[in-house]
Amino acid sequence: MFEAVEELIGEHADLEKRLADPAVHADQGEARRLNKRYAELTPIVGAYREWKQTGDDIETGRELAQDDPDFAAEVKQLEARREELTDRLRLLLVPRDPSDDKDVILEVKAGEGGEESALFAGDLLRMYLRYAERLGWKTEILDANASDLGGYKDVQVAVKARGTVEPGQGVWARLKYEGGVHRVQRVPATESQGRIHTSAAGVLVTPEAEEVEVEINTNDLRIDVYRSSGPGGQSVNTTDSAVRITHLPTGIVVSCQNEKSQLQNKEQAMRILRSRLLAAAQEEAEREASDARRSQVRTVDRSERIRTYNFPENRISDHRVGFKAYNLDQVLDGDLDAVIQACVDADSAAKLAAAQ
């Protein structure tokens, strides 16, 4: 396993030299690509150097322990640290999801349950917005279809990182585990008898695609315009500003009515369409890949019920990894790190097992 690290160290040193050359930064796209790769390799190089140094320290400690038994305890500590570093290196060397550093488009849709489901969809949206705020990410509502009581029938939001992110800390790297059916158990605001109801909302997370990643033939699109629905306002409900785009080869339909301008709505709809087409292409590639490849790429089935939010017990449960905590109020306020980290750890463990 560690033979490959020596090659990566050489690549890391070469990247360091190239990035120190001012001429490289004349091409911003190339500079970003090199910086990204450099950031990916830096944790591997650092862990490997510590792993080697710890091995040298163990040998020295064993020699000293022959004359002074007090060094024996230090050797045990060093051996434990080397085992930790070995596991860390194995994990760092597992192939990463190439989309991990991408921004995402996150969609929340109310399911069965009427207004209660729409209110829960609004709670989920607020949870993700607060989580993004905690991490310093930028959010932008692309389109929203509000319900009568202040929830959402469906809403799409773009989530973007600010600046360069560390490997494994990108928006897609953290939010890709959120796709699926989210179930809520609580007494609805519309319930007069105090009975607990169960309803659900669906979440779809797709990496946002750049125009160069997804080629869309304009002849494959049917674009319809219509009048917006929902809360009124200047230009709303009075002009054909809403846009619906149908991608004929796949049947994917995207609509946007959030903006007053037809052109702006079309641009937002195209962003959502590109991300969905990229996700569809990636999923198709995964289906055609080998079983081993599939196990490394995606461990989450978007169609399954992934999580339950139980209000009477203040409990949140993730059914994929067995995570359970009794701080639902804090989670809904954006404290999602522990929930997401449980999914990250389970996914990493599965990838590590598949690589061995």
Side-chain angles (χ1 to χ4, degrees):
M1 176 186 70
F2 296 135
E3 291 81 357
V5 181
E6 296 290 350
E7 294 182 13
L8 297 179
I9 289 174
E11 183 184 353
H12 185 265
D14 180 62
L15 286 168
E16 197 166 40
K17 290 179 181 177
R18 294 180 66 185
L19 287 168
D21 182 358
V24 169
H25 298 274
D27 184 343
Q28 289 299 312
E30 177 68 1
R32 281 195 297 270
R33 186 186 69 80
L34 296 179
N35 267 309
K36 176 188 171 185
R37 181 58 175 164
Y38 184 79
E40 290 174 352
L41 295 179
T42 297
I44 299 174
V45 172
Y48 182 67
R49 286 173 177 166
E50 186 180 352
W51 179 82
K52 285 194 70 175
Q53 182 60 54
T54 304
D56 294 339
D57 293 343
I58 288 172
E59 292 301 318
T60 302
R62 285 172 178 168
E63 292 176 5
L64 294 171
Q66 294 177 0
D67 300 322
D68 187 348
D70 290 343
F71 282 101
E74 184 176 343
V75 169
K76 288 185 178 180
Q77 293 177 355
L78 289 168
E79 289 173 340
R81 176 59 180 162
R82 198 161 202 250
E83 288 182 11
E84 292 175 2
L85 289 166
T86 300
D87 291 340
R88 175 168 167 73
L89 271 170
R90 285 199 181 101
L91 190 57
L92 286 170
L93 291 171
V94 170
R96 289 183 175 274
D97 182 339
S99 296
D100 270 354
D101 63 331
K102 287 184 178 294
D103 298 323
V104 309
I105 290 179
L106 184 146
E107 304 180 52
V108 184
K109 283 183 173 290
E112 295 181 1
E115 282 292 343
E116 166 59 12
S117 178
L119 288 171
F120 178 51
D123 292 337
L124 290 177
L125 174 64
R126 179 179 178 274
M127 177 181 75
Y128 292 125
L129 293 178
R130 292 299 301 272
Y131 180 62
E133 182 183 347
R134 285 170 181 255
L135 295 182
W137 294 341
K138 178 183 177 182
T139 56
E140 175 190 3
I141 302 293
L142 300 179
D143 195 52
N145 186 6
S147 68
D148 293 336
L149 295 183
Y152 287 96
K153 297 176 183 177
D154 57 80
V155 57
Q156 293 90 33
V157 55
V159 187
K160 293 180 172 289
R162 297 181 187 270
T164 304
V165 296
E166 296 182 6
Q169 298 301 312
V171 182
W172 172 254
R174 304 298 291 179
L175 291 183
K176 63 184 174 183
Y177 304 99
E178 295 303 298
V181 177
H182 296 239
R183 183 178 68 170
V184 62
Q185 296 172 326
R186 66 180 175 188
V187 178
T190 54
E191 169 60 58
S192 59
Q193 302 298 318
R195 293 173 296 186
I196 296 174
H197 285 225
T198 298
S199 61
V203 176
L204 174 66
V205 187
T206 52
E208 181 160 10
E210 301 291 339
E211 290 190 38
V212 294
E213 292 179 291
V214 179
E215 183 177 343
I216 300 177
N217 189 330
T218 55
N219 294 327
D220 290 337
L221 302 178
R222 184 177 72 236
I223 302 177
D224 303 306
V225 295
Y226 57 98
R227 293 192 176 182
S228 301
S229 60
Q234 185 178 3
S235 300
V236 178
N237 300 320
T238 61
T239 63
D240 292 336
S241 59
V243 174
R244 181 186 301 111
I245 300 177
T246 303
H247 186 250
L248 300 175
T250 62
I252 294 174
V253 180
V254 177
S255 59
C256 275
Q257 61 175 16
N258 217 43
E259 305 294 340
K260 295 177 182 178
S261 159
Q262 185 183 116
L263 179 59
Q264 289 175 315
N265 281 324
K266 181 181 176 182
E267 290 175 349
Q268 303 289 47
M270 287 298 293
R271 287 176 65 183
I272 298 171
L273 177 61
R274 278 195 295 269
S275 72
R276 289 189 184 176
L277 288 173
L278 177 63
Q282 290 173 336
E283 288 171 2
E284 179 63 26
E286 289 161 19
R287 281 194 294 270
E288 293 176 356
S290 65
D291 290 341
R293 172 63 179 157
R294 276 201 302 272
S295 69
Q296 292 178 25
V297 173
R298 183 68 51 82
T299 60
V300 177
D301 179 1
R302 293 183 185 280
S303 65
E304 68 180 359
R305 184 191 70 206
I306 66 167
R307 199 173 289 156
T308 295
Y309 303 71
N310 185 299
F311 276 70
E313 298 179 15
N314 198 35
R315 169 172 53 83
I316 183 163
S317 306
D318 194 293
H319 307 296
R320 297 163 296 179
V321 297
F323 176 89
K324 185 182 293 185
Y326 292 86
N327 64 335
L328 176 58
D329 53 339
Q330 297 174 30
V331 170
L332 288 173
D333 196 40
D335 189 6
L336 262 172
D337 271 330
V339 188
I340 289 177
Q341 192 59 48
C343 295
V344 171
D345 292 343
D347 195 21
S348 297
K351 289 178 179 178
L352 188 57
Q356 291 177 342

